[in-house]
Amino acid sequence: MESGTSRPRLPWTAALALALIAAPAAAGDSYVIHREGAKPKRSLIYADTGSVEPVLALEQQTKLLFEQGPDAAEAARAAAPRSLQLIEVREHRGAPDKLIHELQVDCAAGRVRVVASEAHLRDDTRRILPPQDWAPPSAGWQRQAQRFACEPAARDAAHGMQALAEPIGLLEAVDRTWAEQWPDGRRPPYTGERSEAAVQVQEQKIDEAMGQLSRSMERLRSSLQEQEQDASEQAALAMREAERRAQTPAPALEQWIEAPVQLLVGAWGEPKAYREEADARWLDYVIVADGTAPSGRCSVRFLVRDGLVRDYETGGSTAYCRQAQLPPGPNP
């Protein structure tokens, strides 16, 4: 709870809506990144590493993965602006109890914009503040926000930042500030009219909703990571297939991709050798022309996984592999 007596808050549906917009993807390490003023007009700002994310749509990342490969997607993520959530707590009774700021930071261009801000007042109301367009960061808290988002090595005391022992969230920020940062201060009273019981019911609803939100976001993050991994694997596979098609001396070999291994062995016969891998097996075949000269030898190695032919390699004489009479594939 955020006070010893009545602790008014904004309606829980509004708080949850803001959280949906502003909540970090996952909790990380929390810091005090800026302090200002002297008692009784102090203020400080918190930031969490979990809220620093590239502003790059999943669709765009997936497109880059398929069209240009994982390196291009990673380069785009690195170059994209960063999102960042800040929690500001103020001491003076005439100031808001706390403010929540949503920023985007363009590290390469050295500019910042405020996407959204909301002030939580001590009279149980809240006020939406106007956004700010892209501009060089002002001195003070915006410069610290830029440094936090763009310069991970600068998250230390030498640059005016204090690492917290535990992550800090939206609901507990004010309570912990007074307990941990301003124990010498006198906390202003709230002036809302709701009873303590009403506040506790609302608090429970917010906590339950935030817990559900956190679990949902974690599932979403896991799903997105799986999709990204699948897209990366598919992109790598597509590149491998393109290289294989360009280099193969015998296009008929492409017809065996995705064919059952039983059909392969039925047409090619027993392989000359096997080589086991973690979850696959290589089947080696050698086709020899009349005589034993190296120029009359073509070797073909098929990769079999889950009962299907997934890949192949050729060796020996490229010229002979082009001329050799290879068994026709089942997938022309």
Side-chain angles (χ1 to χ4, degrees), residues 52-316:
V52 180
E53 292 284 347
V55 184
L56 188 64
L58 178 63
E59 294 80 2
Q60 185 177 356
Q61 296 183 52
T62 303
K63 183 178 180 181
L64 285 169
L65 277 171
F66 276 109
E67 294 183 355
Q68 301 181 35
D71 291 343
E74 185 58 34
R77 285 172 57 88
R82 300 284 189 268
S83 64
L84 175 64
Q85 181 189 89
L86 303 178
I87 306 172
E88 179 179 0
V89 181
R90 294 186 180 179
E91 180 182 27
H92 191 256
R93 65 184 303 159
D97 196 33
K98 67 181 175 184
L99 300 97
I100 302 169
H101 306 286
E102 278 296 310
L103 273 64
Q104 290 182 359
V105 181
D106 189 332
C107 299
R111 56 183 189 164
V112 173
R113 70 173 173 180
V114 181
V115 179
S117 291
E118 183 176 66
H120 295 228
L121 308 180
R122 302 180 200 274
D123 63 354
D124 201 15
T125 63
R126 63 190 179 96
R127 184 170 70 247
I128 302 298
L129 306 180
Q132 300 177 22
D133 204 357
W134 288 111
S138 59
W141 70 274
Q142 285 194 3
R143 177 67 187 95
Q144 284 294 84
Q146 179 194 37
R147 180 176 286 133
F148 186 84
C150 302
E151 306 171 34
R155 297 168 184 167
D156 56 26
H159 295 89
M161 302 189 195
Q162 173 195 356
L164 302 183
E166 297 180 357
I168 196 165
L170 296 174
L171 297 181
E172 60 185 349
V174 176
D175 283 348
R176 284 186 53 184
T177 298
W178 284 98
E180 299 171 8
Q181 306 293 334
W182 301 334
D184 59 333
R186 182 177 180 181
R187 188 169 181 172
Y190 291 99
T191 59
E193 298 179 354
R194 287 179 297 168
S195 67
E196 179 69 10
V199 172
Q200 289 179 348
V201 170
Q202 173 188 284
E203 179 85 4
Q204 183 177 0
K205 289 181 179 179
I206 293 176
D207 289 344
E208 291 174 354
M210 290 296 291
Q212 183 177 359
L213 171 64
S214 177
R215 292 188 293 272
S216 298
M217 292 187 70
E218 190 59 36
R219 288 194 296 269
L220 175 60
R221 168 173 284 265
S222 177
S223 176
L224 292 177
Q225 288 176 340
E226 291 176 1
Q227 292 180 32
E228 184 173 346
Q229 182 178 355
D230 289 345
S232 180
E233 291 175 354
Q234 290 295 326
L237 177 60
M239 292 177 64
R240 165 61 184 150
E241 289 175 345
E243 292 173 357
R244 188 183 63 227
R245 287 192 295 270
Q247 296 173 4
T248 181
L253 292 174
E254 280 291 309
Q255 299 173 11
W256 287 100
I257 299 300
E258 301 301 322
V261 65
Q262 294 90 341
L263 291 181
L264 177 74
V265 174
W268 286 71
E270 285 296 319
K272 297 293 183 182
Y274 298 91
R275 183 165 67 85
E276 302 288 344
E277 289 191 349
D279 60 347
R281 168 184 284 187
W282 286 95
L283 278 57
D284 295 357
Y285 291 91
V286 179
I287 301 171
V288 182
D290 293 338
T292 57
S295 61
R297 182 183 296 268
C298 176
S299 62
V300 182
R301 303 173 67 232
F302 291 100
L303 177 65
V304 176
R305 181 183 295 111
D306 298 329
L308 299 178
V309 176
R310 304 295 187 179
D311 202 351
Y312 65 85
E313 295 177 353
T314 61

